[in-house]
Amino acid sequence: MNLGSIHFRLTLYHGSLVAVTLVIFALASYLSFRRHLISTLEAQCASQTNQIAQSLLVGLPASGIAYVQDEIQEHYAPEANNLFIRILSSKGTTLYESGNPRDHSFTPPQLGFLPTLDKPKADLDPREHKLIFIRPYPLSNGDSYQIQIAASLLPVEGSLDGLWKVGMLLLPLALSASVLGGFFLSKRSLERIREVVATARRINSSNLQERLIENQTGDEIQDLTRTLNQMFERLEASFTLMTRFTADASHELRTPLTVIRGNLELLLHQGKALPHKPSSEVSEILSQTLEETERLSQIVGQLMELAQLDSGEVKLEREVFNLTELVAGAVDQLQLLADDKQIQLHTELASPIAFKGDRYRVKQVLLNLIDNSIKYCPAGSQVCIRLFSNSRAAVLEVSDNGPGLETDSLRHVFDRFYRVEKARSRELGGSGLGLAICKSICEAHDGRIEVESRPGEGSTFRVLLPLKDPAPASRLCGISTLPAH
């Protein structure tokens, strides 16, 4: 999963919020339950001391100390109930003191009479696991007594320990369930955004008329979809105007350039036949002007071709042909040019590959790629042309061991009018449009073109053409496997 994606961040935020909420809720529940248990125990101690005071101590002068001791032992049974009870007099005497608790869960407190105590008091002793409750009780005859009762905290701590274990078991489960639920809910919520992104990625210069499906949900995704559709409408209008302008300008420039070129050729031809031939300087100027005019005519023609490809005016003449034979023919066509530059052409061609497409346009791509390798490689270099296929596409690779391309150039090599070495490209007649045309032709065949290169190690241009409806090999009669050259 992409850690920077909205999906991951939503899941992280949701999980963190739920975790903090569960921890706070668990701690609050634990502390509340602890307070409730201690308050209950304290209330029981207060009730018992009050009963002793109201039912036994109030009649102490008449009933006597022995009666009070017997009644406490009989009705409250401190040792059996794991309690400790002590009754102290303000005179320093002990009216009653029970024995140690039967379960030995705590040691009896060693407290004397507290003369400053005027109201009931409860103290916790967590280290001794006990609660101590003291109730003062004055009699009408002026005597004052304090009833001390101690109770074990082990039952309370046992209940809290059980609650803690249950919480430690349920909290991870609840958190995991919440995170998984948040993961799938956020994934489902973002599914529409993924659909919008996928559709937007499919829209390019060849299908700008397509639009995103706008669901009437009234939410932010609908606003995003509507905004993207409006942007595509503006892009389509701008692209149409640009394409129309390029096509119209190229068309209008072709006639004047043709006239200029013809006049220059006529001047050069007639100048040679005149009795007084023009000077060599004039002839050189005319030749250079004619050369530049021819280059400009080539650029205008390529611009018009690109505009037609962009606008969809060029209809591909799709037919089934032998792609292997086409590649071999393109290599043979450029063999003389390679020999002139002392560049070796090497081919590795697969058995006949049936491809359905525009034979002329595919050959145009092949000639352009091979011609570029021949132009920009120094003498003694080698250009390798490979053709093979897999289950989905025919793959053509044109590799060389020339100077290669810089990383920055790789990002722009298919841009229009981009030239790696402008001075050298101009010297070799390059216009910066050839690879852009190759890209448009490949995309018109639903294919793609890509490049791999390292400075000083050469470049590899790779064309992938999908084999959508290949013809059986029997239809390619008369074509045999071509060996490597």
Side-chain angles (χ1 to χ4, degrees):
M1 176 185 289
N2 182 10
L3 301 184
S5 65
I6 296 179
H7 184 197
F8 176 79
R9 283 183 287 171
L10 282 176
T11 304
L12 180 62
Y13 296 156
H14 175 265
S16 302
L17 180 61
V18 170
V20 172
T21 303
L22 287 176
V23 169
I24 293 176
F25 176 76
L27 289 176
S29 300
Y30 179 84
L31 294 176
S32 298
F33 187 57
R34 180 178 181 272
R35 187 183 307 112
H36 169 72
L37 292 178
I38 293 176
S39 298
T40 301
L41 182 60
E42 182 179 339
Q44 291 175 354
C45 293
S47 176
Q48 290 176 339
T49 56
N50 185 59
Q51 289 177 1
I52 293 174
Q54 296 296 332
S55 62
L56 299 178
L57 291 184
V58 69
L60 178 62
S63 59
I65 296 176
Y67 174 78
V68 172
Q69 294 174 347
D70 292 340
E71 287 296 314
I72 293 176
Q73 196 65 34
E74 178 180 353
H75 293 288
Y76 294 97
E79 296 87 351
N81 292 319
N82 298 318
L83 298 174
F84 173 79
I85 298 177
R86 177 190 292 135
I87 302 176
L88 298 175
S89 170
S90 58
K91 298 177 181 179
T93 60
T94 301
L95 271 67
Y96 174 81
E97 182 174 324
S98 64
N100 291 335
R102 183 176 295 174
D103 61 357
H104 302 286
S105 55
F106 64 91
T107 57
Q110 303 299 319
L111 294 175
F113 188 88
L114 304 177
T116 59
L117 184 67
D118 58 353
K119 60 182 179 180
K121 174 187 177 183
D123 288 324
L124 287 176
D125 189 352
R127 290 190 301 177
E128 293 290 332
H129 307 288
K130 62 187 174 184
L131 179 143
I132 305 171
F133 188 89
I134 306 175
R135 179 184 291 276
Y137 188 75
L139 293 179
S140 56
N141 60 4
D143 293 336
S144 180
Y145 298 92
Q146 288 182 358
I147 308 169
Q148 299 177 359
I149 184 169
S152 175
L153 289 177
L154 289 181
V156 173
E157 294 172 352
S159 299
L160 292 175
D161 185 62
L163 178 64
W164 181 264
K165 290 179 179 178
V166 171
M168 290 298 100
L169 176 64
L170 294 181
L171 271 178
L173 294 177
L175 181 60
S176 300
S178 177
V179 169
L180 287 176
F183 176 84
F184 288 109
L185 284 177
S186 60
K187 181 179 181 181
R188 183 176 179 182
S189 300
L190 295 172
E191 193 65 36
R192 289 173 53 202
I193 294 182
R194 292 191 183 92
E195 293 175 358
V196 170
V197 171
T199 306
R201 284 176 176 170
R202 290 197 303 268
I203 298 176
N204 52 44
S205 59
S206 62
N207 59 347
L208 275 174
Q209 71 280 359
E210 291 189 16
R211 295 294 180 268
L212 304 173
I213 299 176
E214 184 178 335
N215 296 317
Q216 302 300 320
T217 55
D219 56 9
E220 291 80 359
I221 299 179
Q222 182 185 354
D223 292 339
L224 174 63
T225 305
R226 184 186 299 115
T227 302
L228 287 175
N229 282 334
Q230 293 170 354
M231 182 190 68
F232 287 137
E233 289 176 3
R234 294 192 295 270
L235 284 175
E236 182 184 10
S238 301
F239 192 79
T240 301
L241 288 175
M242 180 186 67
T243 304
R244 187 181 303 163
F245 170 78
T246 304
D248 293 345
S250 301
H251 179 75
E252 293 299 326
L253 287 172
R254 289 183 69 179
T255 301
L257 285 173
T258 302
V259 173
I260 293 173
R261 179 180 176 182
N263 290 338
L264 288 172
E265 290 176 347
L266 181 62
L267 284 173
L268 284 173
H269 178 72
Q270 289 183 347
K272 296 178 181 180
L274 291 174
H276 303 285
K277 296 182 180 179
S279 64
S280 58
E281 183 179 356
V282 173
S283 300
E284 180 67 21
I285 292 174
L286 289 175
S287 299
Q288 291 179 355
T289 306
L290 179 60
E291 182 180 347
E292 292 299 317
T293 303
E294 291 176 348
R295 194 177 72 85
L296 186 57
S297 298
Q298 179 185 4
I299 293 176
V300 169
Q302 290 177 333
L303 277 175
M304 177 171 287
E305 187 174 11
L306 270 175
Q308 291 173 342
L309 286 169
D310 291 338
S311 63
E313 295 179 8
V314 174
K315 302 299 180 182
L316 299 180
E317 301 294 334
R318 296 185 182 272
E319 59 176 330
V320 178
F321 62 90
N322 190 332
L323 186 59
T324 307
E325 180 188 44
L326 187 71
V327 175
V331 173
D332 291 341
Q333 186 174 339
L334 294 172
Q335 186 65 56
L336 288 177
L337 179 62
D339 293 339
D340 288 341
K341 288 200 64 177
Q342 299 178 1
I343 292 177
Q344 181 183 0
L345 296 182
H346 177 74
T347 58
E348 297 178 8
L349 307 182
S351 56
I353 298 176
F355 178 72
K356 187 175 183 179
D358 191 316
R359 180 194 297 265
Y360 169 76
R361 295 293 177 181
V362 174
K363 185 175 182 179
Q364 184 179 357
V365 173
L366 301 177
L367 292 175
N368 194 293
L369 294 179
I370 301 173
D371 182 65
N372 280 350
S373 294
I374 295 174
K375 281 182 180 178
Y376 295 102
C377 285
S381 301
Q382 184 183 65
V383 177
C384 183
I385 300 96
R386 301 182 185 89
L387 177 65
F388 57 92
S389 65
N390 52 38
S391 59
R392 295 178 296 178
V395 182
L396 171 70
E397 292 183 350
V398 178
S399 305
D400 60 62
N401 55 355
L405 298 172
E406 298 289 343
T407 303
D408 184 63
S409 298
L410 290 176
R411 294 195 296 266
H412 305 286
V413 71
F414 296 108
D415 294 348
R416 299 175 186 188
F417 294 106
Y418 180 80
R419 290 176 291 185
V420 179
E421 300 179 21
K422 293 181 172 55
R424 190 178 177 205
S425 296
R426 185 179 181 88
E427 178 185 347
L428 295 174
S431 62
L433 292 173
L435 289 178
I437 293 176
C438 290
K439 181 182 178 183
S440 296
I441 293 175
C442 291
E443 291 177 349
H445 284 85
D446 298 323
R448 69 178 189 273
I449 183 172
E450 54 193 29
V451 59
E452 295 177 1
S453 182
R454 289 185 179 180
E457 298 182 12
S459 305
T460 298
F461 284 84
R462 185 178 297 106
V463 175
L464 294 94
L465 299 173
L467 299 174
K468 291 183 177 180
D469 185 22
S474 59
R475 293 176 56 182
L476 302 174
C477 54
I479 303 299
S480 59
T481 302
L482 297 173
H485 297 290

